[in-house]
Amino acid sequence: TTTIAASTSQAVGANDKSYSETNNQVEGVYEADRILTDGYYIYVLTSNQFVIVNADDMTITDSFQLDNNYVYGMYRYEDMIVLLSQEYHYEYDDSVSTKTGEEGVYWDYYYVRFTYGARITVLDVSDRTDIQVDRSLYFEGSYLSESRMIDGNVYLVMNNYASNYGYNDNVSTFIPEYLDSAVSDELIQLPAGNIFYMPNNYLSFGYLMLVSFSVTDNEPADVNAYLGSCYQIFMSQDNLYTIVYRYWYDEAMMFYSYETLIIRFAIEDNKLVYKAIGSVDGQPLNQFSMDEYDGHFRIATTGYEYTETTWNITNNVSIFDATSLGTIEPVSELTGLGKPNERIYAVRFSGDFGYVVTFVNTDPLYKLDLSDPENPAILGELYEEGVSDYLHEISDNLLLGVGRQAVTEGDWTHFTGVKVSLYDITGDDPINLATYLVEGEYSYSPVTYDHKAFTSYEPEGADFMYVAIP
């Protein structure tokens, strides 16, 4: 398997149009987006509305609105659309109380009850002029942290904080509740057999909710809750890894330390099944700091150690056995990335190789040899002004970096614009082939923090690729 699709175009039939897709990290593992197309229609989200636009004449064929919702992501599978939204409700009591004092009436007051949850709506758009609701799911007191779709199966990762809002006489406050229209039109409590404990240093006072369901059938969703939480995820075709940060103060040594808990859930019969937990020093930057390849999980982290008088930063790449049970076993660790006080700004794994950018004054782009999981090594590096915040592999020989240009004056480094750099990665040392600059101290690109803003398209039969960078 490869972690990067060489082309994001797709031909769906002999006479069908090819089109660009979402910039997914892992081939075959789809990520939610706000704008999608099938070559004939454009599907757009705006606030609480889903709109279908004819791609030929740019007319709206139909729209769908979710009241009290903010729709922030969607999936398309065949003629089905899956909307991801956060739902909010305000309930006012019927009576108004009045406070009075010696000088007369001071104020009126009333009670407001605020509820929220994650809403998943499956739409049938086989008739683009007549959108139909096929299924609805709602998870009370939950925020959708991340999601993925593989072969028409949607996987949801949510943080449920229902137990954080104080005790009342209703014991169900501490038990997750959800609605699945395939089962019932009312909220139901999650059965005790679907609520699990796992070691997480006793620092979480909520639930990690994991849900999977098929877009193409009406079977009940698989819903489980784990005492814990989630900050980031990485998902391959075989496993889901959820990430939780931990920090503590060592009174004897008088410094703070940070670690990351890694929890692996295997995909079995399209369901997420807990397998193992492990930890690594430091924190990953984002989902691209993680990867799975040839039975191994790789993660790049930046660690911080703070004392009362100084602080230290370390950058490492750790490799784990992705098949171990109970505990995710470490295989090796590559240390010493970056100069003093540099942290990781960008990571990209690709098969036997990895690319890591660290930065403080200049930008070292490291090329790593990960072909032997037990003996990872630095192959080469490239120093240049500025920094890449996002790396995208164009081909086996070319790597694109999107980031910021910088200049150093004395001990002070400041950014001067957006830079887009093309690198030759055939040898051990990356080579800068060309750099495109957008000057301006406050110039920026959303690609530096949102990879879905990066769009690439390779016309069928062409030997080049279009890249769109806002």
Side-chain angles (χ1 to χ4, degrees):
T1 58
T2 179
T3 58
I4 303 170
S7 171
T8 55
S9 61
Q10 173 180 337
V12 295
N15 299 318
D16 286 63
K17 299 177 181 179
S18 62
Y19 50 90
S20 63
E21 293 186 351
T22 295
N23 180 22
N24 302 304
Q25 180 183 6
V26 179
E27 187 174 8
V29 181
Y30 292 90
E31 302 178 28
D33 210 339
R34 294 188 57 80
I35 300 178
L36 298 172
T37 183
D38 57 12
Y40 294 93
Y41 296 92
I42 303 171
Y43 308 93
V44 182
L45 298 182
T46 170
S47 185
N48 66 340
Q49 197 170 35
F50 165 71
V51 180
I52 301 178
V53 180
N54 187 306
D56 290 327
D57 58 20
M58 300 304 292
T59 59
I60 295 176
T61 63
D62 201 5
S63 63
F64 175 80
Q65 182 168 307
L66 278 169
D67 293 331
N68 301 317
N69 277 254
Y70 175 71
V71 188
Y72 51 83
M74 64 177 160
Y75 292 99
R76 184 183 71 87
Y77 185 77
E78 297 177 348
D79 287 329
M80 310 299 287
I81 296 290
V82 180
L83 301 182
L84 312 176
S85 62
Q86 198 67 36
E87 187 166 306
Y88 304 92
H89 295 281
Y90 297 89
E91 299 177 9
Y92 297 86
D93 70 346
D94 295 329
S95 60
V96 177
S97 300
T98 302
K99 279 281 188 180
T100 59
E102 295 181 359
E103 302 299 326
V105 177
Y106 284 136
W107 63 78
D108 292 335
Y109 67 95
Y110 50 84
Y111 295 100
V112 179
R113 182 173 181 267
F114 170 71
T115 59
Y116 66 91
R119 171 74 64 180
I120 315 299
T121 308
V122 181
L123 304 177
D124 184 341
V125 296
S126 53
D127 183 349
R128 267 60 174 186
T129 64
D130 187 19
I131 299 172
Q132 298 292 322
V133 177
D134 184 74
R135 185 175 185 175
S136 183
L137 300 97
Y138 177 74
F139 301 89
E140 180 79 26
S142 297
Y143 287 105
L144 184 62
S145 175
E146 275 287 0
S147 64
R148 296 291 188 269
M149 183 178 71
I150 302 175
D151 296 329
N153 295 291
V154 176
Y155 301 91
L156 309 174
V157 181
M158 292 177 286
N159 288 314
N160 180 288
Y161 302 110
S163 62
N164 286 349
Y165 290 93
Y167 174 80
N168 60 33
D169 294 333
N170 183 5
V171 71
S172 66
T173 299
F174 300 97
I175 301 176
E177 296 182 327
Y178 73 99
L179 177 152
D180 180 0
S181 63
V183 177
S184 170
D185 292 329
E186 302 292 334
L187 284 173
I188 59 176
Q189 287 189 4
L190 188 63
N194 295 79
I195 303 176
F196 301 89
Y197 161 83
M198 60 185 175
N200 62 358
N201 294 0
Y202 312 103
L203 294 178
S204 292
F205 301 95
Y207 294 104
L208 166 63
M209 301 278 292
L210 298 181
V211 179
S212 59
F213 69 95
S214 172
V215 177
T216 57
D217 63 38
N218 214 32
E219 292 296 317
D222 183 65
V223 183
N224 293 292
Y226 298 81
L227 292 174
S229 59
C230 172
Y231 186 75
Q232 291 179 346
I233 74 165
F234 170 80
M235 193 169 191
S236 68
Q237 296 267 12
D238 302 311
N239 292 291
L240 166 72
Y241 298 87
T242 66
I243 300 300
V244 182
Y245 297 160
R246 292 286 181 263
Y247 73 92
W248 67 93
Y249 180 70
D250 188 320
E251 294 186 359
M253 300 299 293
M254 292 189 298
F255 66 78
Y256 285 93
S257 293
Y258 294 78
E259 73 169 350
T260 295
L261 296 184
I262 306 165
I263 307 166
R264 179 173 77 91
F265 299 87
I267 304 174
E268 297 180 354
D269 298 325
N270 303 321
K271 299 178 181 179
L272 298 170
V273 181
Y274 171 78
K275 293 296 181 182
I277 188 171
S279 65
V280 63
D281 291 337
Q283 302 174 358
L285 176 67
N286 52 35
Q287 67 185 63
F288 291 97
S289 299
M290 298 173 280
D291 176 72
E292 183 186 282
Y293 177 72
D294 198 21
H296 291 89
F297 175 73
R298 294 97 65 100
I299 181 170
T301 57
T302 296
Y304 300 87
E305 291 184 354
Y306 294 96
T307 70
E308 293 183 349
T309 59
T310 186
W311 53 286
N312 184 45
I313 298 178
T314 58
N315 303 297
N316 307 316
V317 172
S318 304
I319 301 178
F320 294 85
D321 182 356
T323 64
S324 56
L325 302 177
T327 301
I328 302 176
E329 297 293 345
V331 174
S332 63
E333 185 179 45
L334 178 62
T335 62
L337 294 172
K339 295 182 297 183
N341 296 331
E342 289 185 341
R343 69 169 178 86
I344 292 175
Y345 271 71
V347 182
R348 196 81 198 218
F349 292 101
S350 179
D352 289 334
F353 301 101
Y355 304 91
V356 177
V357 173
T358 61
F359 178 76
V360 111
N361 291 321
T362 57
D363 169 4
L365 169 59
Y366 292 97
K367 182 176 181 179
L368 311 180
D369 182 358
L370 307 177
S371 58
D372 181 357
E374 296 183 0
N375 297 285
I378 298 175
L379 280 177
E381 56 194 58
L382 170 67
Y383 284 85
E384 59 182 353
E385 291 183 338
V387 63
S388 292
D389 297 281
Y390 173 71
L391 298 174
H392 190 95
E393 192 176 35
I394 301 298
S395 67
D396 292 338
N397 303 322
L398 296 174
L399 183 73
L400 196 70
V402 182
R404 292 162 287 172
Q405 183 69 318
V407 296
T408 300
E409 299 173 354
D411 295 331
W412 176 253
T413 297
H414 61 94
F415 297 112
T416 60
V418 175
K419 77 163 188 171
V420 181
S421 300
L422 186 64
Y423 303 101
D424 182 343
I425 53 174
T426 53
D428 290 347
D429 292 315
I431 300 172
N432 187 316
L433 297 177
T435 295
Y436 177 80
L437 297 177
V438 179
E439 295 183 0
E441 183 178 359
Y442 301 105
S443 299
Y444 75 98
S445 170
V447 171
T448 60
Y449 55 85
D450 180 9
H451 67 280
K452 294 168 189 174
F454 182 98
T455 303
S456 61
Y457 174 70
E458 185 176 349
E460 190 172 353
D463 61 352
F464 62 90
M465 179 185 294
Y466 290 109
V467 172
I469 300 171

